[in-house]
Amino acid sequence: GAVVSQHPSRVICKSGTSVKIECRSLDFQATTMFWYRQFPKQSLMLMATSNEGSKATYEQGVEKDKFLINHASLTLSTLTVTSAHPEDSSFYICSAKTGADSFNEQFFGPGTRLTVL
Amino acid sequence: GEDVEQSLFLSVREGDSSVINCTYTDSSSTYLYWYKQEPGAGLQLLTYIFSNMDMKQDQRLTVLLNKKDKHLSLRIADTQTGDSAIYFCAVSSGGYQKVTFGIGTKLQVIP
C-alpha cells in the first residue's frame, strides 16, 4: 500500500519555540493531506485539510496562525506549531489522499509526538 | 455534525471472536471504515464498506452495516494476540473529504 512518513517521530521543545513537522507521501502523489491531533485515550480530531498549492482549510476552533500548514508539493506537507505551549503537547498524525476519486481512502503517517516543556 | 460512538474497551480470549460495535448519526454517510492503531503508531485501514452494502467479509474480518439503526460492527474471527490494538470506526459523507472518527475501542486479547 501507499506509504506516508512523518518527521520527526518525537520532539521535545521549550515553551515559546516553534516546531515543524513534515509529512511525506513516499510512493504516490497526494493531492490532499490532512492533519489530525490525538489526545491520550481520545479520538483523532481533524485540524485542517490542505490541498497542494492552495491555502489549508482549518476546522472550527483551530487557530490557523498557531498551526501553520504548508502543502508546497504533491509529496510534502508541513505543520508548524508556532510559539508552542504545554497544552499543545499531543500526538499529531497526518494522512494523505491519492487522486480525486470518490473513495476517501486516507493513508496515515506514523504520527509525531510533541512534548512542550 | 456527524457523531460516531463506540465502546472504549473489549476483552476476549485468544481464539474467540471479537465484535466491536459503532453507531453514527448521519444517515447520509456514504463510506464507513474500520482502522487499527497499534501503540505509538499511525492508523491502518483494515476494511471499509459502502453504505449500499449490508455486509462485507475479508478473511477473518466481517463488517455488518444496519443502515436503519445506523449501526456498524466489526467481527474478528479467531482473535489472535496480534489483534490487540485500538480499533477506530470512521464515517465519511457528502463531499467525501472529511472523515469523522469514533473514540476507538481498545481490544485486549487474553492468551
Side-chain angles (χ1 to χ4, degrees), chain B residues 3-80:
Chain B
D3 191 25
V4 179
E5 294 192 356
Q6 345 174 198
S7 54
L8 289 177
F9 188 76
L10 176 66
S11 179
V12 298
R13 292 202 173 274
E14 189 175 17
D16 288 350
S17 292
S18 309
V19 180
I20 303 171
N21 295 300
C22 167
T23 58
Y24 58 97
T25 55
D26 188 350
S27 58
S28 66
S29 297
T30 48
Y31 297 100
L32 303 101
Y33 316 82
W34 284 103
Y35 286 87
K36 177 182 181 182
Q37 184 182 35
E38 299 190 26
L43 273 68
Q44 173 197 359
L45 178 64
L46 280 181
T47 186
Y48 63 91
I49 190 169
F50 298 136
S51 59
N52 62 357
M53 298 167 65
D54 297 323
M55 185 184 86
K56 181 178 180 181
Q57 189 157 359
D58 183 2
Q59 299 183 333
R60 292 191 297 123
L61 306 178
T62 303
V63 179
L64 293 178
L65 174 61
N66 182 329
K67 284 190 69 177
K68 175 177 173 289
D69 294 338
K70 301 190 196 68
H71 182 270
L72 182 74
S73 68
L74 172 70
R75 178 176 180 270
I76 305 172
D78 186 26
T79 312
Q80 303 297 306

Side-chain angles (χ1 to χ4, degrees), chain A residues 36 44 95 103-108, chain B residues 6 20 32-38 42-48 74 85-91 99-101 104-105:
Chain A
Y36 295 85
L44 280 73
S95 69
F103 175 55
N104 194 31
E105 179 166 10
Q106 297 180 30
F107 297 97
F108 285 82
Chain B
Q6 345 174 198
I20 303 171
L32 303 101
Y33 316 82
W34 284 103
Y35 286 87
K36 177 182 181 182
Q37 184 182 35
E38 299 190 26
L43 273 68
Q44 173 197 359
L45 178 64
L46 280 181
T47 186
Y48 63 91
L74 172 70
I86 298 175
Y87 291 80
F88 289 92
C89 170
V91 302
V99 177
T100 301
F101 289 82
T105 299

Side-chain angles (χ1 to χ4, degrees), chain A residues 4-63:
Chain A
V4 175
S5 71
Q6 281 184 242
H7 178 80
S9 57
R10 290 180 179 272
V11 57
I12 300 172
C13 69
K14 292 182 179 179
S15 187
T17 60
S18 294
V19 175
K20 180 185 282 189
I21 303 170
E22 293 186 349
C23 176
R24 292 182 185 271
S25 56
L26 297 185
D27 50 3
F28 66 99
Q29 292 187 328
T31 53
T32 306
M33 286 186 169
F34 305 85
W35 286 96
Y36 295 85
R37 183 173 179 177
Q38 186 180 31
F39 292 102
K41 298 182 180 179
Q42 292 192 30
S43 186
L44 280 73
M45 181 191 79
L46 179 65
M47 298 174 67
T49 302
S50 76
N51 293 293
E52 185 264 341
S54 61
K55 289 184 179 180
T57 301
Y58 290 81
E59 294 298 303
Q60 192 173 9
V62 178
E63 298 176 60

